[in-house]
Amino acid sequence: MTAFLLASAAFVLLTVAIGLVRILRGPGDADRMMAAQLLGSGGIAALLLAAATGPSAVVDVALILALLAAFASIAFVKAGQGDDPE
């Protein structure tokens, strides 16, 4: 079971790393925001993996990542509404 959890954690970290590259090189703001949402999802996945393995410090980091991703998406939508003339 531990090998499966480690493989899952490696996969999540790989997707987060790819998301970081997308944030840096993304062609548009929406692409970058979607990559930031991926980081939030990766944080939640890390939370689930941390709950399975035991270290509690990772849980705090994962919760903060998920919370920041939600706030970032709200800010992105609010900023996009300011551009619409209606």
Side-chain angles (χ1 to χ4, degrees), residues 18 21 24 28 31 33 36 47 56 62 67 74 76 78-79 82 86:
I18 292 171
V21 170
L24 294 174
D31 296 324
M33 181 51 59
L47 170 72
S56 62
L67 190 62
I74 291 169
F76 181 75
K78 287 285 187 181
E86 293 180 20

Side-chain angles (χ1 to χ4, degrees), residues 9-57:
F11 179 72
V12 168
L13 289 176
L14 178 68
T15 58
V16 168
I18 292 171
L20 285 174
V21 170
R22 177 55 72 183
I23 287 174
L24 294 174
R25 294 185 173 189
D29 291 338
D31 296 324
R32 290 183 172 139
M33 181 51 59
M34 292 303 293
Q37 291 298 313
L38 175 67
L39 290 179
S41 299
I44 292 170
L47 170 72
L48 293 175
L49 290 172
T53 57
S56 62

Side-chain angles (χ1 to χ4, degrees), residues 1 4-6 8-9 12 40-63 65-66:
M1 186 67 174
F4 176 73
L5 291 176
L6 287 175
S8 299
V12 168
S41 299
I44 292 170
L47 170 72
L48 293 175
L49 290 172
T53 57
S56 62
V58 178
V59 174
D60 294 336
V61 172
L63 284 173
L65 278 175

